[in-house]
Amino acid sequence: MSLAKPVMRGMLAKRLRIHLPLAFLSSFGLAMAIKFMITEPRKQAYADFYKNYDSAKEFEAMREAGIFESVQPSGK
Amino acid sequence: MAQYTQLGLQDAASPLMEELLHFHDHALMIITLISAFVLYIILTMVTAKTTDKYILDSQEVEIIWTVLPAIILVLIALPSLRILYLLDEINDPHLTIKAMGHQWYWSYEYTDYEDLGFDSYMVPTQDLTPGQFRLLEADHRMVIPVESPIRVLVSAEDVLHSWAVPSLGVKMDAVPGRLNQVAFVASRPGVFFGQCSEICGANHSFMPIVVEAVPLEHFENWSSLMLEDA
């Protein structure tokens, strides 16, 4: 009875065939996750913040809180 | 101002800083992509049961690992150059302020219309009032009108300093005998903090910059009051 012939060549190629696409896919997937979970939400957050931003109203709120030194709260 | 456990950049208070923030996110995404790829390859190599005798002369992989990085560099360079040229745009400032670095305080001069100048020293820790920030507060703040293009001419009277306000996306070296120009627009009212960014001696860490952006009429009232007090 003879043993099955062992795999003699192509082991690296076989490994690369599996892992190289996996490496590209996983790193690209991580980059896309960062893009859609961090980058795009941050851009949207800034756009939303300034879309209906009332500069005068925010200034008055900060003024009343006493944040500024050049402008005192309206009571003073 | 920076928070204690902050990892990222401060919230942007000027359009340029917003651009820089988004570019930073873009560059970080590319760095993460490359790092994840390299980490995966290292793990694959470390756990491999095979050994490869043929480790020299592979035209195919040489081409791939030259072309791919070149493409990645172009993807980084294009938005970077766009912002670089944005920084240099002619901006027709409404106000010019001179910021002079001294050991160890800043002085500001508003000489467009009248001769207004004052020094800005750090508020010592023992003199802070509740709610004030340690090592960041100054006795006189640089007040500017909000949503107006401002030009700051930065120089120094003694040694090198650097005038920096991270949330406005501004940093400019103060060199004795040289006038450096930086321009920005404060997109929203508020108080923005910065610190001297070039080593200048014993109290380099204790000469902060505070910029206060208020509506134009309040800025005019403030400058009139300052001129009266002078």
Side-chain angles (χ1 to χ4, degrees):
Chain A
M1 189 164 84
S2 57
L3 295 165
K5 184 176 178 184
V7 175
M8 302 288 278
R9 57 179 67 95
M11 286 162 278
L12 176 64
K14 182 180 164 207
R15 192 171 169 84
L16 281 177
R17 249 193 310 269
I18 301 166
H19 286 287
L20 222 46
L22 260 176
F24 277 105
L25 279 170
S26 57
S27 52
F28 187 73
L30 183 61
M32 287 299 107
I34 288 175
K35 183 177 169 69
F36 290 109
M37 285 170 57
I38 297 174
T39 308
E40 293 304 317
R42 205 198 297 275
K43 280 187 190 157
Q44 195 57 41
Y46 273 89
D48 292 341
F49 178 83
Y50 282 109
K51 195 162 59 170
N52 296 315
Y53 184 65
D54 188 345
S55 168
K57 179 170 153 242
E58 295 298 327
F59 167 74
E60 288 303 325
M62 283 189 246
R63 177 189 183 176
E64 296 311 316
I67 286 170
F68 298 114
E69 285 183 1
S70 60
V71 187
Q72 296 303 311
S74 49
K76 290 191 180 175
Chain B
M1 54 165 276
Q3 305 293 327
Y4 289 108
T5 53
Q6 183 173 321
L7 287 177
L9 298 165
Q10 292 182 31
D11 285 341
S14 77
L16 272 173
M17 189 57 200
E18 278 181 54
E19 292 291 334
L20 286 166
L21 237 160
H22 300 319
F23 173 70
H24 180 264
D25 286 339
H26 170 73
L28 207 58
M29 178 184 74
I30 292 177
I31 289 167
T32 310
L33 181 142
I34 296 167
S35 303
F37 181 78
V38 170
L39 183 64
Y40 190 104
I41 296 297
I42 289 173
L43 287 172
T44 315
M45 284 166 60
V46 156
T47 54
K49 292 183 179 58
T50 55
T51 54
D52 189 24
K53 295 185 294 183
Y54 306 107
I55 56 173
L56 302 173
D57 286 334
S58 170
Q59 283 285 59
E60 300 83 5
V61 74
E62 292 274 350
I63 288 170
I64 290 168
W65 70 33
T66 305
V67 169
L68 220 50
I71 294 172
I72 290 173
L73 284 173
V74 169
L75 288 176
I76 297 174
L78 289 178
S80 174
L81 287 168
R82 181 182 146 266
I83 294 177
L84 189 66
Y85 281 89
L86 259 176
L87 294 177
D88 271 344
E89 269 189 1
I90 309 293
N91 40 42
D92 190 24
H94 293 179
L95 184 67
T96 298
I97 305 170
K98 289 177 213 93
M100 302 291 292
H102 308 254
Q103 283 178 312
W104 287 279
Y105 62 98
W106 292 94
S107 63
Y108 300 108
E109 297 165 32
Y110 295 64
T111 49
D112 279 348
Y113 303 106
E114 307 278 349
D115 229 334
L116 168 61
F118 55 89
D119 297 336
S120 177
Y121 281 84
M122 183 187 83
V123 176
T125 304
Q126 60 265 28
D127 297 341
L128 289 170
T129 56
Q132 287 194 309
F133 304 117
R134 191 180 70 93
L135 305 185
L136 285 176
E137 299 282 356
D139 58 358
H140 296 108
R141 295 174 171 179
M142 186 180 107
V143 182
I144 58 170
V146 72
E147 291 168 14
S148 298
I150 306 290
R151 170 168 56 202
V152 181
L153 297 173
V154 184
S155 188
E157 295 279 13
D158 36 48
V159 298
L160 293 178
H161 300 270
S162 186
W163 196 81
V165 184
S167 51
L168 295 170
V170 165
K171 182 178 289 181
M172 186 53 75
D173 278 2
V175 182
R178 182 184 170 88
L179 267 186
N180 280 331
Q181 172 183 282
V182 69
F184 61 89
V185 180
S187 313
R188 52 186 168 88
V191 182
F192 311 111
F193 296 93
Q195 293 174 289
C196 179
S197 299
E198 186 67 41
I199 187 77
C200 55
N203 287 341
H204 156 67
S205 312
F206 309 114
M207 47 183 292
I209 296 131
V210 190
V211 178
E212 200 171 280
V214 296
L216 183 61
E217 55 164 311
H218 297 285
F219 167 75
E220 288 170 345
N221 293 341
W222 167 82
S223 56
S224 304
L225 272 167
M226 289 292 283
L227 279 164
E228 278 170 20
D229 289 343

XYZ file of all heavy atoms in Angstrom, chain B residues 169-216:
352
model
N -7.045 77.287 13.239
C -6.158 76.740 12.215
C -4.998 77.656 11.893
O -4.559 77.748 10.739
N -4.497 78.323 12.934
C -3.459 79.337 12.723
C -2.215 78.994 13.530
O -2.309 78.681 14.709
C -3.987 80.720 13.180
C -2.869 81.707 13.315
C -5.031 81.229 12.217
N -1.067 79.041 12.857
C 0.197 78.999 13.583
C 1.211 79.748 12.727
O 1.357 79.432 11.539
C 0.664 77.562 13.805
C 1.959 77.466 14.611
C 2.375 76.033 14.864
C 1.426 75.422 15.864
N 1.774 74.027 16.193
N 1.894 80.728 13.309
C 2.862 81.489 12.537
C 4.027 81.855 13.435
O 3.828 82.393 14.523
C 2.201 82.749 11.945
C 3.095 83.532 11.021
S 3.801 82.542 9.706
C 2.407 82.323 8.618
N 5.222 81.592 12.972
C 6.415 81.889 13.756
C 6.611 83.383 13.908
O 6.402 84.155 12.955
C 7.653 81.281 13.088
C 7.809 79.808 13.431
O 6.941 79.276 14.151
O 8.784 79.196 12.971
N 7.016 83.769 15.100
C 7.340 85.173 15.376
C 8.855 85.274 15.387
O 9.519 84.789 16.312
C 6.744 85.598 16.723
N 9.393 85.907 14.352
C 10.841 85.992 14.182
C 11.267 87.444 14.367
O 10.689 88.333 13.713
C 11.241 85.509 12.761
C 12.733 85.554 12.584
C 10.693 84.113 12.506
N 12.254 87.701 15.203
C 12.699 89.088 15.385
C 13.199 89.652 14.064
O 13.940 89.001 13.330
C 13.845 88.980 16.397
C 13.730 87.652 16.998
C 13.005 86.761 16.044
N 12.763 90.871 13.754
C 13.212 91.512 12.524
C 12.458 91.081 11.297
O 12.787 91.481 10.186
N 11.421 90.266 11.448
C 10.673 89.759 10.300
C 9.185 89.886 10.579
O 8.743 89.678 11.701
C 11.030 88.288 10.076
C 10.360 87.642 8.894
C 10.717 86.162 8.829
N 9.924 85.474 7.854
C 10.233 85.354 6.562
N 11.358 85.870 6.125
N 9.435 84.733 5.727
N 8.440 90.220 9.514
C 6.972 90.288 9.646
C 6.373 89.109 8.899
O 6.517 89.009 7.694
C 6.447 91.585 9.013
C 6.250 92.812 9.873
C 5.598 93.903 9.049
C 5.409 92.516 11.104
N 5.706 88.236 9.631
C 4.999 87.120 8.995
C 3.514 87.411 9.006
O 2.989 87.931 9.995
C 5.281 85.814 9.745
C 6.625 85.230 9.370
O 7.104 85.421 8.257
N 7.246 84.509 10.288
N 2.855 87.045 7.928
C 1.434 87.361 7.803
C 0.611 86.083 7.857
O 0.965 85.077 7.252
C 1.195 88.067 6.466
C -0.277 88.267 6.135
C -0.450 88.901 4.770
O -0.268 90.102 4.624
N -0.784 88.100 3.780
N -0.498 86.122 8.593
C -1.439 85.008 8.576
C -2.842 85.601 8.557
O -3.077 86.668 9.135
C -1.214 84.064 9.779
C -1.613 84.713 11.088
C -1.939 82.761 9.594
N -3.750 84.954 7.862
C -5.115 85.480 7.746
C -6.110 84.391 8.106
O -5.872 83.205 7.863
C -5.370 85.978 6.329
N -7.218 84.797 8.692
C -8.258 83.823 9.037
C -9.580 84.556 9.189
O -9.633 85.787 9.258
C -7.912 83.089 10.344
C -7.783 83.982 11.549
C -8.885 84.276 12.336
C -6.559 84.537 11.887
C -8.762 85.101 13.441
C -6.432 85.362 12.996
C -7.536 85.652 13.774
N -10.660 83.762 9.250
C -11.993 84.298 9.538
C -12.553 83.477 10.682
O -12.549 82.250 10.617
C -12.930 84.152 8.321
C -14.306 84.705 8.640
C -12.350 84.817 7.099
N -13.042 84.131 11.738
C -13.725 83.402 12.814
C -15.162 83.172 12.363
O -15.925 84.114 12.169
C -13.693 84.207 14.105
N -15.545 81.886 12.187
C -16.876 81.568 11.640
C -17.982 81.805 12.661
O -19.136 81.975 12.291
C -16.974 80.100 11.242
O -15.877 79.707 10.508
N -17.633 81.751 13.942
C -18.667 81.868 14.976
C -18.109 82.651 16.157
O -16.893 82.717 16.348
C -19.103 80.468 15.437
C -17.969 79.569 15.837
C -18.471 78.150 16.140
N -17.372 77.208 16.258
C -16.721 76.960 17.394
N -17.086 77.530 18.518
N -15.716 76.095 17.420
N -18.990 83.293 16.945
C -18.485 84.026 18.113
C -18.001 83.050 19.174
O -18.442 81.900 19.235
C -19.725 84.802 18.605
C -20.885 84.045 18.073
C -20.448 83.390 16.810
N -17.072 83.514 19.990
C -16.583 82.650 21.070
C -15.211 83.095 21.519
O -14.682 84.122 21.081
N -14.635 82.289 22.383
C -13.294 82.549 22.917
C -12.415 81.380 22.507
O -12.775 80.216 22.737
C -13.338 82.675 24.453
C -11.959 82.987 24.991
C -14.317 83.764 24.861
N -11.277 81.680 21.907
C -10.403 80.640 21.365
C -9.017 80.781 21.970
O -8.453 81.870 22.025
C -10.363 80.739 19.839
C -11.739 80.828 19.230
C -12.178 81.991 18.636
C -12.614 79.747 19.297
C -13.459 82.085 18.097
C -13.896 79.831 18.765
C -14.318 81.005 18.171
N -8.463 79.655 22.402
C -7.203 79.671 23.143
C -6.060 79.082 22.329
O -6.241 78.208 21.497
C -7.354 78.871 24.447
C -8.341 79.445 25.400
C -9.664 79.022 25.400
C -7.961 80.422 26.307
C -10.581 79.556 26.286
C -8.878 80.964 27.199
C -10.187 80.530 27.183
N -4.869 79.586 22.607
C -3.680 79.011 21.996
C -2.508 79.245 22.934
O -2.627 79.931 23.946
N -1.365 78.650 22.562
C -0.170 78.824 23.380
C 1.033 79.079 22.498
O 1.054 78.677 21.330
C 0.057 77.577 24.256
C -1.025 77.409 25.310
C -0.905 76.113 26.078
O -1.145 75.045 25.563
N -0.536 76.217 27.345
N 2.030 79.723 23.067
C 3.270 79.988 22.311
C 3.827 78.659 21.815
O 3.920 77.696 22.575
C 4.285 80.689 23.204
S 5.851 81.034 22.349
N 4.199 78.599 20.551
C 4.587 77.330 19.945
C 6.029 77.293 19.453
O 6.353 76.519 18.548
C 3.619 77.004 18.792
O 2.318 76.890 19.297
N 6.884 78.124 20.029
C 8.307 78.017 19.716
C 9.070 78.289 21.002
O 8.838 79.311 21.648
C 8.702 79.031 18.637
C 10.135 78.902 18.141
C 10.382 77.617 17.384
O 9.518 77.210 16.590
O 11.453 77.001 17.574
N 9.952 77.370 21.370
C 10.656 77.476 22.644
C 11.356 78.828 22.740
O 12.093 79.246 21.827
C 11.637 76.273 22.831
C 12.239 76.282 24.220
C 12.716 76.276 21.772
C 11.325 75.784 25.279
N 11.102 79.503 23.858
C 11.587 80.879 23.960
C 12.116 81.199 25.340
O 12.230 82.380 25.703
C 10.461 81.844 23.587
S 8.960 81.614 24.537
N 12.412 80.174 26.132
C 12.990 80.471 27.437
C 12.196 79.843 28.564
O 11.352 78.981 28.358
N 12.461 80.342 29.761
C 11.920 79.707 30.963
C 10.397 79.673 30.978
O 9.804 78.681 31.408
C 12.442 80.438 32.195
N 9.755 80.733 30.517
C 8.292 80.816 30.622
C 7.603 80.645 29.277
O 6.525 81.181 29.041
C 7.898 82.156 31.249
C 8.212 82.179 32.729
O 8.391 81.127 33.340
N 8.316 83.352 33.304
N 8.202 79.833 28.447
C 7.621 79.555 27.122
C 6.215 78.964 27.242
O 5.323 79.267 26.452
C 8.558 78.605 26.385
C 7.900 77.797 25.318
N 7.390 78.343 24.156
C 7.655 76.464 25.220
C 6.874 77.396 23.411
N 7.011 76.243 24.031
N 6.002 78.149 28.281
C 4.694 77.495 28.449
C 3.679 78.428 29.093
O 2.536 78.035 29.305
C 4.846 76.269 29.346
O 5.915 75.487 28.923
N 4.105 79.650 29.440
C 3.248 80.522 30.237
C 2.995 81.850 29.540
O 2.946 82.900 30.177
C 3.889 80.739 31.620
C 4.271 79.439 32.281
C 5.598 79.119 32.505
C 3.297 78.506 32.641
C 5.952 77.904 33.087
C 3.650 77.297 33.222
C 4.975 76.998 33.446
N 2.844 81.809 28.231
C 2.466 83.007 27.488
C 1.375 82.632 26.482
O 1.613 82.532 25.280
C 3.665 83.683 26.809
C 4.601 82.782 26.044
S 6.022 83.684 25.353
C 5.271 84.724 24.116
N 0.151 82.447 26.992
C -0.916 81.981 26.113
C -1.486 83.099 25.238
O -1.200 84.278 25.431
C -1.987 81.493 27.095
C -1.782 82.325 28.299
C -0.313 82.601 28.377
N -2.281 82.648 24.280
C -2.960 83.569 23.359
C -4.455 83.342 23.529
O -4.915 82.194 23.539
C -2.555 83.240 21.903
C -1.070 83.478 21.701
C -3.386 84.049 20.905
C -0.355 82.349 21.028
N -5.213 84.422 23.695
C -6.668 84.282 23.788
C -7.295 85.225 22.771
O -7.036 86.425 22.790
C -7.199 84.616 25.195
C -8.668 84.226 25.293
C -6.393 83.921 26.260
N -8.098 84.660 21.880
C -8.782 85.445 20.852
C -10.276 85.426 21.166
O -10.851 84.363 21.381
C -8.532 84.858 19.448
C -9.286 85.652 18.400
C -7.045 84.848 19.135
N -10.883 86.605 21.191
C -12.313 86.705 21.490
C -13.009 87.255 20.248
O -12.684 88.366 19.799
C -12.494 87.664 22.678
C -13.803 87.526 23.405
C -13.836 88.349 24.687
O -13.282 87.899 25.698
O -14.422 89.443 24.654
N -13.924 86.481 19.681
C -14.635 86.908 18.470
C -16.033 87.360 18.863
O -16.824 86.576 19.411
C -14.706 85.769 17.468
N -16.344 88.628 18.593
C -17.642 89.198 18.956
C -18.208 89.944 17.748
O -17.455 90.279 16.829
C -17.506 90.170 20.158
C -17.054 89.423 21.406
C -16.551 91.305 19.838
N -19.507 90.235 17.733
C -20.064 90.998 16.609
C -19.406 92.369 16.488
O -18.880 92.912 17.464
C -21.550 91.138 16.979
C -21.817 89.978 17.863
C -20.555 89.731 18.619
N -19.455 92.922 15.289
C -18.703 94.134 14.964
C -19.005 95.300 15.899
O -18.092 95.998 16.348
C -18.984 94.531 13.503
C -18.215 95.752 12.982
C -16.721 95.497 13.029
C -18.645 96.084 11.565
